[in-house]
Amino acid sequence: MSEVAKNPSVAKEEMRADYEKLANVIDLYSGKEGCLIQVLHAAQEIFGYLPFEVQKYVADNMGFSVSYVSSVSSFYSFFSTTPRTKHDVKVCLGTACYVRGGKLLIEKLQEILGIGVGEATADNVFSIHVTRCVGACGLAPVVVVDDDVYKQVKPGDIAGILDQYRGK
Amino acid sequence: MRIKNVNDLKLIADQYNAELKKYEHTIYVCGGGGCISSKCQDTKNFVDSYIKEQGLSDKVNVIFTGCMGTCAMGPVVLVEPERIYYVHVTPERAKDIIDRQIIGGEVIEEYTFFDANLNKHIPCIDDIPFFAEQVQIVLNKCGKIPFDSIEAYIAKGGFTAVAKAFGMTQQQIIDEVTASGLRGRGGAGFPTGIKWSAGMKAQGDRKCIVCNADEGDPGAFMDRSAIEGDPFCLIEGMMIGGFAIGANNGYVYCRAEYPVAVERFNKALDIAREWGMLGENILGSGFNFDIELRIGAGAFVCGEETALMNSIQGERGEPRQKPPFPFESGLFGCPTIINNVETYYNIAEIINRGADWFAQYGVGKSKGTKVFALAGDVINTGIVEVPMGMSLRKLIFEIGGGITDGMKFKAAQMGGPSGGCITEKNLDTSVDYESLTALGAIMGSGGLIVMGENTCMVDTARFFMQFIQDESCGKCTPCRIGTKRMLEILERITQGKGTLEDLDTLEELSYTIKDTAMCGLGQTAPNPVLSTLANFRDEYEAHIVGKTCPAHICSALAKYYIDPEKCKGCTLCARNCPVQCISGKVKEPHVIDQNKCIKCGACMTNCKFGAVIKK
Ligand SMILES: Cc1cc2nc3c(=O)[nH]c(=O)nc-3n(C[C@H](O)[C@H](O)[C@H](O)COP(=O)(O)O)c2cc1C
Ligand code: SF4
Ligand code: SF4
Ligand code: SF4
Ligand code: FES
Ligand code: FES
C-alpha cells in the first residue's frame, strides 16, 4: 500500500494487472447464469475491497447497471466498500463463542487498540470486526486474524496474538 | 481412469483395499476444521517425513481425514490396527507415538483420550463412551478416509447406491425414501420423499436440485464437517435425488465463512468429473448430471430456501413470496428441489440398505439419526451422530461428558436463533421432532449449545434478538420494526430499566411477528424470547424488580466490591477508576463508593490480587 502511495505509476501498473485478472474472471463466468456474486467475490479477492470503480467495471462488463451491482453488493455483509487494513481482527460472536466469553475479547481488543468495532487503527494496521460463527464452535471462543483461527482465547491472550502481526 | 460401469467400481474398490492390506499400521491424522485451527497440518507434515526418515513408508500408511468428532482436543490421531485414539498430538507427541507405539509396540496412555466422567484415559476408541454411544450413518466415512480420494470413497462402497438407483425407476427411489421416514435435516423436518415426489411430478424442460450448505445457525458446524470430511457422499446423494426427480443440474450453496469446505468440495467436483462420475452418461446409465458450487456472502437469511435461490441467481438474498413453491418455480424459474446437506448424506445408505434398515433407528415419526454440533459449556465439544430418540441427558452428560468447570447445567439451546431452550426438568426428553416442538424448542439443524449456570438467559435472549436485527432483510415491517422494538425492550431489561409491563409487551409483539412476518426468519425470531420467558421468568423479574443479574453477566447491573481480606492497598484501582470513586490509604484496604461507580470494570481488570469482585 505505502509503495503505491509513494509512486502512483506503480499503482497504475498494479491496477492494470488487477483489472486484467478481473476481466479473466468475468470471461470465465460468461457462459453461466447468475454469477454476479461469484464475480464480486473474485473482485474483492483481487482488489481487497469493492470501490465504486471496480463495481462500475463489473457492471459495464457484465451488462448490469452500476446501481444494480451496488444494490446486490450492499446486501451482503461480506462485501466491503472501504479498503482493508493490513490485518483484519475478527472476534466471533456466534452463540457458542458468546456463551464462552467472546464479548470479553471484544472489550479487551477495543481497550488495547483504542478503536471500536468496525474501525481501523490510525496507522491502518488493525481493524476490529465481529463475525457470526466461523464453524470452529468446538474451540470457542474464537478470534480470527486474517486467515488464522485462534482457539479458546482468553482476554489475556489478545496482546500476544496482536504482537505476532505487528510489523508484518 | 474413467469409470464406465459398475464393474469398474468393483475393480477400483478391490485394488484400493488390496493396497491397504499391504500396510502393518495406519495413522489417521484428523484434517477437520477444528484440528486445522490446532495446527494439524504441522503434525501431518511431521508424520509424513518422519515415517519416510525411519524407512517405514511401506509398513505405515498415513491418511489425512475429515473431522473425527472431538474437535476441541485437536490435533487428534487414530492408530490402527490397535485403534488407539491420541489427542493434542503435536509433532513432538507424534514422534513419541511413532517411536514408542509403531516401532516399540507400547501404548502411550497419557496421550490418549481423557474421559472426564470416568476420570481416566481410555486408549482404545471403541471403549470411549463419546464414540461407543453413537450410530453413524451420515458420518460413516467422515474421519475414516482421506477426504480427497475418490478411490477410498469407492472402496468404502461409494457410488454403489447411485449405481443401484440407476437400475430403479424414479418412483421406486422415491418410494424407498418415503418409506424410510427420512425428514429434512435443515430444521423444519419436512418428509423428503414427499418433497421429491412433488419434484418428480412437476413439469418443466429443466429441473434443478439444490443443496443448502449455508449452515447459518451460529454455533453449528455439522454440515461443514460432513462436506470437508466426505465430499463425494454429497455428490452421490444429490445425483440420486437428481435422477429421482429428473434434474440434470445440481447447485450447492455454501457460506463464504467455510473456505476449507469450498476448496475441498470444488476439488471433489473436479475429481468426480475426471473419473466420469459427473458429466454425461454416468455409469453407462444415459443420465447426465453435474454440480456447481455457489458461495454465499454473509447473510443469514440466505439459508431460507427462496432467499437462497435468489442468491444463487446472483441477486439480493431476499425471500420470495410462497406460493409458488420451489418445486413449482424455483431456481431460474425451474422446478427445484432443495434439501439440507445432512439430508443428502442419508440417501446413499437408504438406497443401499433399504428403508426398513434405516427406519430401525429412531422413534415415532423421527427415523434415523441426527448429527449434532456440541458446543458451549460442555466438556466434549465436537460432532456427534446419535439415533433419534436418545435423551438429551445422555447426549449432554454421557456423550458430551457434562458441564465444564464443575458448573451446574442451566439450559441447552437448540435451533439457534429460531429455536428455544431446554431446561433441567426436561433433560429426559427424547430427541425427536415432535417431543422437542412440544417443549417450545425445535430440533433445528443440529446446533446444540450447552449453557452452564454463569449464562444469563435474559442476555441470551437479547443476544439472539440482536442477531435477528442484524440479519433481518427488512422486506417486511413486522420483522424489520417489530424485532427492533423487542431488542430495545430486552436491552432496557438487561440494564435494569425494564418494567413488568415490558414482559407483556414482549409476548404480544412475539405473537404478532410470528403471525405476520413473511418468511421463516421473522416467523421464528421470537422463539428464544418466548422460550426463555416460559422457563426463566424469574430471571427476567430479577432484572426488573430486584435490579440484579443472577448470573452476574449484565454489566450494568453488576456491583463491584473490594474484598478487604485480599486487598493489599496498592492503589492501582483507585488510580485507574475513571470517576475516582475508590478511596483508601496506601497499604490499607480500599473501598468503592457504590453511588458513584459507573460499573466500567477497570478496577477489576487492574487489580493484580483478585481483590475486586463482581456480584
Ligand atoms: C432464516 C432461515 C434460515 C435457514 N437456514 C438454513 C440453513 O442454514 N441450512 C439449511 O439446511 N436450512 C436452512 N433453513 C431451512 C430451509 O429454508 C429449507 O427448509 C431447508 O433447506 C430444506 O431442506 P430439508 O428439507 O432437507 O431440511 C433456513 C430457514 C430459514 C427460515
Ligand atoms: S421476515 Fe424478516 S427476513 Fe423474512 S422477509 Fe420479512 S424482513 Fe426479510
Ligand atoms: S488494585 Fe486491588 S489490591 Fe490494589 S488497592 Fe485496588 S483492590 Fe486493593
Ligand atoms: S467499576 Fe469502574 S467506576 Fe466502578 S469502582 Fe471500578 S473503576 Fe471505578
Ligand atoms: S460460534 Fe464462534 S465459531 Fe461458531
Ligand atoms: S476437526 Fe479434528 S476432531 Fe473435529
Side-chain angles (χ1 to χ4, degrees):
Chain A
M1 187 62 109
S2 57
E3 205 68 0
V4 177
K6 266 185 260 158
N7 188 348
S9 70
V10 177
K12 262 192 193 151
E13 273 302 303
E14 256 188 33
M15 293 299 251
R16 208 174 298 147
D18 286 347
Y19 277 112
E20 254 163 48
K21 268 191 223 157
L22 181 55
N24 286 337
V25 171
I26 293 174
D27 246 18
L28 208 70
Y29 279 109
S30 63
K32 290 184 185 164
E33 298 154 283
C35 285
L36 177 56
I37 293 171
Q38 312 307 308
V39 169
L40 290 176
H41 268 300
Q44 180 154 300
E45 183 74 18
I46 295 168
F47 292 89
Y49 68 116
L50 296 176
F52 174 80
E53 305 78 56
V54 171
Q55 298 200 39
K56 179 157 182 359
Y57 185 90
V58 169
D60 291 348
N61 287 279
M62 288 183 77
F64 295 117
S65 68
V66 192
S67 65
Y68 180 75
V69 170
S70 121
S71 81
V72 171
S73 70
S74 62
F75 182 84
Y76 295 97
S77 64
F78 220 77
F79 298 130
S80 163
T81 48
T82 46
R84 263 193 221 157
T85 47
K86 214 155 172 193
H87 303 292
D88 234 0
V89 187
K90 297 186 262 308
V91 179
C92 178
L93 282 192
T95 319
C97 292
Y98 188 78
V99 166
R100 297 295 290 163
K103 208 165 82 172
L104 301 175
L105 303 180
I106 295 257
E107 285 166 9
K108 191 76 196 173
L109 255 175
Q110 291 180 331
E111 183 194 318
I112 294 179
L113 295 177
I115 54 171
V117 172
E119 295 174 3
T121 51
D123 56 5
N124 243 330
V125 173
F126 292 111
S127 54
I128 307 179
H129 302 275
V130 167
T131 105
R132 301 287 193 179
C133 191
V134 294
C137 330
L139 308 168
V142 164
V143 171
V144 185
V145 186
D146 303 336
D147 289 324
D148 309 327
V149 180
Y150 293 88
K151 55 172 187 172
Q152 292 154 343
V153 181
K154 292 178 219 53
D157 302 338
I158 296 279
I161 292 175
L162 291 177
D163 282 345
Q164 296 178 42
Y165 295 87
R166 289 184 205 275
K168 252 210 242 171
Chain B
M1 110 171 231
R2 283 190 79 80
I3 303 166
K4 288 182 243 43
N5 49 45
V6 188
N7 273 343
D8 288 349
L9 286 177
K10 193 162 173 334
L11 222 64
I12 294 167
D14 290 347
Q15 258 173 22
Y16 188 83
N17 286 325
E19 181 78 13
L20 288 186
K21 286 214 183 77
K22 292 198 323 213
Y23 296 102
E24 287 167 17
H25 276 103
T26 307
I27 302 178
Y28 297 86
V29 181
C30 178
C35 289
I36 293 177
S37 317
S38 305
K39 305 205 160 53
C40 64
Q41 189 69 52
D42 295 352
T43 302
K44 164 75 168 45
N45 293 346
F46 173 82
V47 171
D48 277 339
S49 63
Y50 194 62
I51 289 290
K52 206 179 274 167
E53 207 180 296
Q54 296 294 307
L56 292 170
S57 296
D58 45 0
K59 290 200 179 124
V60 181
N61 193 11
V62 183
I63 286 179
F64 204 34
T65 73
C67 174
M68 297 189 190
T70 61
C71 314
M73 302 180 187
V76 298
V77 160
L78 178 73
V79 178
E80 288 201 336
E82 298 86 348
R83 297 188 52 76
I84 307 300
Y85 192 65
Y86 291 107
V87 299
H88 301 300
V89 185
T90 53
E92 294 74 39
R93 281 191 169 196
K95 179 173 185 303
D96 285 349
I97 292 168
I98 294 169
D99 288 342
R100 287 163 63 188
Q101 188 188 342
I102 305 280
I103 301 173
E106 165 206 4
V107 171
I108 314 178
E109 204 171 312
E110 68 265 33
Y111 292 175
T112 60
F113 180 90
F114 184 79
D115 190 287
N117 280 338
L118 306 171
N119 198 25
K120 62 170 188 190
H121 288 277
I122 308 180
C124 177
I125 189 168
D126 305 309
D127 302 331
I128 301 172
F130 178 87
F131 294 103
E133 301 288 348
Q134 296 191 41
V135 170
Q136 297 195 321
I137 297 173
V138 171
L139 302 175
N140 65 357
K141 293 181 284 309
C142 182
K144 297 157 194 86
I145 56 171
F147 51 79
D148 54 358
S149 164
I150 196 170
E151 292 152 286
Y153 179 72
I154 292 169
K156 288 264 184 198
F159 294 127
T160 50
V162 74
K164 185 172 171 187
F166 286 153
M168 298 162 77
T169 63
Q170 290 172 293
Q171 189 63 50
Q172 279 170 335
I173 298 172
I174 289 168
D175 287 346
E176 199 69 37
V177 173
T178 308
S180 75
L182 175 66
R183 293 167 67 175
R185 300 296 193 237
F190 191 83
T192 307
I194 296 180
K195 196 187 267 191
W196 286 16
S197 179
M200 180 185 77
K201 288 181 191 140
Q203 299 295 319
D205 301 339
R206 175 184 165 205
K207 295 181 189 177
C208 295
I209 187 152
V210 175
C211 172
N212 188 340
D214 195 48
E215 196 154 59
D217 172 5
F221 51 108
M222 313 73 52
D223 294 347
R224 156 184 196 173
S225 304
I227 295 176
E228 290 175 1
D230 188 12
F232 295 103
C233 193
L234 178 55
I235 297 178
E236 184 169 8
M238 289 181 72
M239 195 164 10
I240 295 170
F243 182 73
I245 67 160
N248 305 102
N249 293 95
Y251 286 88
V252 174
Y253 184 84
C254 183
R255 66 200 311 241
E257 289 84 348
Y258 290 172
V260 179
V262 165
E263 184 195 318
R264 288 187 188 171
F265 192 69
N266 260 330
K267 185 158 176 217
L269 289 178
D270 285 342
I271 296 173
R273 278 183 206 118
E274 211 176 288
W275 287 67
M277 286 311 300
L278 282 176
E280 292 186 356
N281 192 19
I282 297 162
L283 292 177
S285 64
F287 181 63
N288 305 337
F289 189 70
D290 211 326
I291 295 175
E292 201 183 305
L293 178 65
R294 290 285 170 98
I295 303 165
F300 173 66
V301 71
C302 288
E304 195 281 333
E305 53 192 25
T306 59
L308 183 146
M309 290 186 290
N310 280 343
S311 188
I312 291 186
Q313 289 175 199
E315 299 162 20
R316 288 164 69 88
E318 283 167 357
R320 304 175 186 174
Q321 273 296 356
K322 287 191 270 193
F325 289 96
F327 75 85
E328 300 162 314
S329 170
L331 193 57
F332 305 113
C334 310
T336 301
I337 290 306
I338 172 164
N339 282 112
N340 166 259
V341 172
E342 190 182 331
T343 310
Y344 286 117
Y345 273 83
N346 282 293
I347 299 296
E349 286 290 273
I350 290 173
I351 296 300
N352 261 337
R353 301 198 187 206
D356 291 340
W357 171 84
F358 184 81
Q360 72 174 303
Y361 299 106
V363 286
K365 289 188 201 153
S366 305
K367 298 299 187 197
T369 59
K370 183 74 196 77
V371 180
F372 287 99
L374 276 178
D377 297 327
V378 62
I379 293 178
N380 299 329
T381 56
I383 298 288
V384 299
E385 181 176 358
V386 298
M388 300 251 200
M390 181 180 273
S391 78
L392 262 177
R393 188 183 301 279
K394 188 166 181 181
L395 183 51
I396 296 171
F397 287 87
E398 284 180 41
I399 295 181
I403 315 301
T404 48
D405 309 324
M407 272 192 290
K408 266 187 20 208
F409 170 82
K410 187 168 200 174
Q413 175 77 19
M414 302 181 75
S418 315
C421 60
I422 309 270
T423 55
E424 173 75 40
K425 67 175 192 289
N426 292 319
L427 270 180
D428 292 307
T429 302
S430 138
V431 175
D432 63 72
Y433 292 100
E434 279 69 30
S435 307
L436 292 170
T437 309
L439 290 178
I442 54 168
M443 174 80 80
S445 59
L448 179 55
I449 309 280
V450 180
M451 301 174 188
E453 56 193 331
N454 68 355
T455 304
C456 170
M457 299 314 288
V458 184
D459 184 58
T460 303
R462 185 204 57 77
F463 164 81
F464 282 123
M465 199 49 71
Q466 174 79 59
F467 179 86
I468 291 296
Q469 251 296 292
D470 291 348
E471 297 297 339
S472 164
C473 83
K475 193 164 172 173
C476 64
T477 325
C479 172
R480 185 181 67 239
I481 303 190
T483 60
K484 186 151 176 53
R485 288 292 97 80
M486 287 182 75
L487 177 62
E488 286 163 1
I489 295 175
L490 290 165
E491 280 174 343
R492 268 211 308 277
I493 297 176
T494 56
Q495 288 162 2
K497 295 176 194 151
T499 62
L500 287 173
E501 290 81 72
D502 279 341
L503 299 186
D504 301 332
T505 317
L506 274 180
E507 270 177 356
E508 215 181 289
L509 278 168
S510 293
Y511 291 117
T512 312
I513 297 171
K514 275 174 95 72
D515 288 344
T516 52
M518 190 183 115
C519 87
L521 189 149
Q523 287 156 9
T524 58
N527 288 352
V529 171
L530 289 173
S531 151
T532 47
L533 266 175
N535 288 298
F536 295 97
R537 203 176 178 97
D538 54 329
E539 263 190 52
Y540 279 89
E541 287 170 0
H543 284 74
I544 295 170
V545 183
K547 307 286 177 214
T548 55
C549 172
H552 310 307
I553 289 293
C554 298
S555 43
L557 293 177
K559 283 207 175 77
Y560 291 85
Y561 293 97
I562 294 175
D563 180 349
E565 301 280 304
K566 285 191 180 161
C567 176
K568 302 268 192 252
C570 75
T571 76
L572 194 60
C573 59
R575 278 181 280 139
N576 280 289
C577 174
V579 292
Q580 271 125 33
C581 70
I582 307 179
S583 55
K585 292 203 179 103
V586 185
K587 296 199 180 148
E588 279 175 26
H590 281 49
V591 183
I592 296 174
D593 180 348
Q594 297 298 338
N595 292 328
K596 285 197 200 145
C597 169
I598 56 162
K599 297 157 195 195
C600 71
C603 49
M604 192 163 171
T605 9
N606 277 299
C607 179
K608 295 192 174 62
F609 306 96
V612 182
I613 29 180
K614 190 165 130 186
K615 273 196 218 156

